[in-house]
Amino acid sequence: MARDQWGTKAGFLLAAIGSAVGLGNIWRFPYVCASNGGGAFLFPYFFAIITAGIPILILEFTIGQKFRGGAPAALGCMNKKWEWLGWFQAVVAFFIATYYAVIVAWSISYIGFSAKQAWGVDTESFFFEKYLNVSDGPLQLGGIQLQILIPFLAVWLLGYIILSKGIKNGIEKANKIIIPLLLFLTGVIVVRGLTLPGALDGLNYLFTPDWGSIWKPEVWVAAYGQIFFSLSIGFAIMITYASYLPKKTDLVNSAFITAFSNHGFELFVALGIFGVLGYMAGVQGVDVAEVSKAGVGLAFVVFPAAISALPALKGTVGAVFFITLVFAGFTSFISIIEAYITGVIDKFNIPRQKALNIFVGISFVVSFIFVTGAGLYVLDILDYFINNFGIVLGGILEVILVGWFFDLEGLRTHANRYSNFAIGKWWNYMIKFVTPLVLGFMFVQNLVQNFIEPYGGYSFGSLLIIGWGAFVLCFVFAFVFYNMKGDSSVMLQPSKEEVSK
């Protein structure tokens, strides 16, 4: 069957940026920056962009566009034995999709709550007890929470409809609408945040440099971690999106545009977030550090409290903030699903609609666990293990295999062929040496830390079943799909002559 393509280069870039710009840009980056040296953190941050983020993005764009397949097919074309790694990355994407949907659903609910600040004075109790109705632990499900169910169903339905329309008429069109709106709404938040009394205190906390932090290894690890997690690299998405590009595409320039658009958004939205937090700290008479948090705590506990403390336009600012979360989360959500759906279509050469019906259906059923009373606990554990072990390991293996056991120079030549400016030999050294060393250090450090101190204070049994269990399942399902018989016309390796082109 004919392979779908992006309608325009701009459509591809908006989709790639939409995938990269996700929930982590809004609630993770500002906190990571502020707690790792503030302004001084920006030096290792930008260094990491140049030495890891952009090199891997160029690598994945080149692999996907050259070999015309999702991660399993593309890596399998490079070496048949590497197909399993593509499936490993695709299964990682599957797990992320199952819990990403419910976070978008929470954001939809909070758009409605913003109108009259339904969360009341105690935003923490409202979120955890009234809205999520959390159970006593991750192994006690506590039943389906009906108040989450309707927005949850809406997220999956809309995602299914968009993906059913394909690359050009579905994903591309959706991103052409959502990304400009996302940028506009983010601008509203930034303007409002910067015009509040006390905003300067928030920005001082965010950007005041602690130059001593530059020499701390954990700060550099945090910088590389932020770059790696926020660019959607290492878990099949960018290879998949690039596989739908035409042959004559400027890959290098596309990677630079995608990376700097994503990281520019991170810095931009941080201005608004910490402007509001600076105002909130002033109202409460505390330091900004006391009100700043990362993750769901920032989005659904701290920011609602900050919205309630605003002098005016509370409902409007609240609605805009949570619509921004919905848009940022949703564009990433559909890209994550596309990563493993494309792998299935390539392997078995089945119609897109059939692949969606089966595998979106499976994802949808599995994701119901996150609508239960234990959902937040399971999400927290799964997100930590999939990000710190699944994505990082997938990235490490990718750069080692491609950098050391494939014609990396040939890939560089291919990337430069239609690009406005060429990447030099420095790219080879980044892929072969710098990136695997840094990611390897991150992986080992996280592994050792988890043996010393179990994550999040959870019981060993919970972490073993949910966290390590999901990590092991990534390998199990990867080898299951790798060993299944597919359509040989799709999964056959190209000739040596084709690889060298």
Side-chain angles (χ1 to χ4, degrees), residues 40-383:
F41 174 79
L42 297 180
F43 178 77
Y45 173 74
F46 284 114
F47 187 81
I49 292 173
I50 299 299
T51 59
I54 291 175
I56 296 179
L57 204 52
I58 293 172
L59 177 68
E60 296 200 342
F61 279 0
T62 304
I63 290 173
Q65 191 264 357
K66 180 177 177 64
F67 295 104
R68 313 288 293 159
L75 291 171
C77 281
M78 298 171 78
N79 186 315
K80 178 58 183 173
K81 294 179 180 179
W82 298 354
E83 183 193 329
W84 75 267
L85 176 58
W87 283 116
F88 178 86
Q89 295 181 342
V91 176
V92 165
F94 170 88
F95 278 115
I96 295 174
T98 59
Y99 66 77
Y100 223 85
V102 79
I103 304 175
V104 179
W106 297 345
S107 302
I108 292 174
S109 294
Y110 267 69
I111 295 172
F113 297 154
S114 298
K116 295 183 178 180
Q117 292 82 63
W119 45 71
V121 177
D122 191 346
T123 56
E124 185 170 358
S125 293
F126 177 85
F127 179 61
F128 292 109
E129 297 175 17
K130 187 173 181 180
Y131 180 61
L132 295 185
N133 191 23
V134 293
S135 64
D136 293 330
L139 301 181
Q140 299 178 31
L141 295 183
I144 299 293
Q145 304 303 308
L146 298 179
Q147 67 275 16
I148 306 173
L149 188 59
I150 293 177
F152 170 79
L153 295 175
V155 171
W156 276 108
L157 179 61
L158 184 58
Y160 174 80
I161 291 172
I162 290 173
L163 289 163
S164 294
K165 294 182 179 296
I167 298 300
K168 180 180 178 180
N169 294 318
I171 297 175
E172 181 172 343
K173 285 186 176 180
N175 278 281
K176 282 183 175 180
I177 296 170
I178 293 175
I179 297 303
L181 285 174
L182 174 61
L183 183 60
F184 171 76
L185 294 174
T186 303
V188 172
I189 294 171
V190 172
V191 170
R192 185 54 184 148
L194 293 179
T195 54
L196 287 169
L200 189 59
D201 293 331
L203 297 185
N204 283 336
Y205 175 73
L206 177 61
F207 291 121
T208 298
D210 174 11
W211 295 112
S213 297
I214 286 186
W215 309 110
K216 296 178 180 178
E218 60 266 26
V219 172
W220 287 82
V221 170
Y224 275 87
Q226 178 63 26
I227 297 303
F228 198 74
F229 299 142
S230 71
L231 271 180
S232 294
I233 50 180
F235 58 110
I237 294 176
M238 291 308 184
I239 292 177
T240 299
Y241 269 13
S243 73
Y244 296 106
L245 283 169
K247 291 183 178 180
K248 297 181 179 181
T249 299
D250 185 341
L251 299 173
V252 176
N253 197 33
S254 296
F256 273 87
I257 291 172
T258 301
F260 282 113
S261 296
N262 173 67
H263 302 310
F265 178 86
E266 286 185 328
L267 287 167
F268 186 55
V269 75
L271 298 177
I273 295 293
F274 270 84
V276 174
L277 294 182
Y279 168 77
M280 181 183 176
V283 170
Q284 296 182 359
V286 299
D287 291 334
V288 179
E290 292 187 38
V291 297
S292 64
K293 293 182 179 180
V296 295
L298 172 65
F300 300 104
V301 176
V302 175
F303 218 79
I307 291 166
S308 295
L310 292 176
L313 301 175
K314 299 178 183 180
T316 302
V317 173
V320 168
F321 175 73
F322 288 107
I323 291 172
T324 301
L325 280 184
V326 171
F327 284 173
F330 191 76
T331 53
S332 297
F333 174 62
I334 58 177
S335 71
I336 295 166
I337 296 176
E338 183 63 37
Y340 58 88
I341 292 299
T342 296
V344 172
I345 295 171
D346 288 344
K347 173 85 174 185
F348 304 106
N349 201 20
I350 60 176
R352 180 180 186 83
Q353 199 62 50
K354 183 178 180 180
L356 284 169
N357 291 344
I358 296 172
F359 288 92
V360 170
I362 294 172
S363 307
F364 172 67
V365 172
V366 172
S367 68
F368 262 89
I369 192 171
F370 301 104
V371 190
T372 67
L376 179 64
Y377 300 125
V378 178
L379 187 156
D380 185 32
I381 295 171
L382 188 61
D383 179 66

Side-chain angles (χ1 to χ4, degrees), residues 457-475:
Y458 293 106
S459 67
F460 176 76
S462 299
L463 296 177
L464 183 64
I465 294 170
I466 300 169
W468 292 115
F471 183 59
V472 170
L473 283 177
C474 289
F475 286 97

Side-chain angles (χ1 to χ4, degrees), residues 80 83 87 344 346-350 479-491:
K80 178 58 183 173
E83 183 193 329
W87 283 116
V344 172
D346 288 344
K347 173 85 174 185
F348 304 106
N349 201 20
I350 60 176
F479 281 103
V480 167
F481 277 95
Y482 169 65
N483 286 294
M484 291 177 71
K485 184 177 180 181
D487 188 322
S488 59
S489 66
V490 178
M491 300 303 289

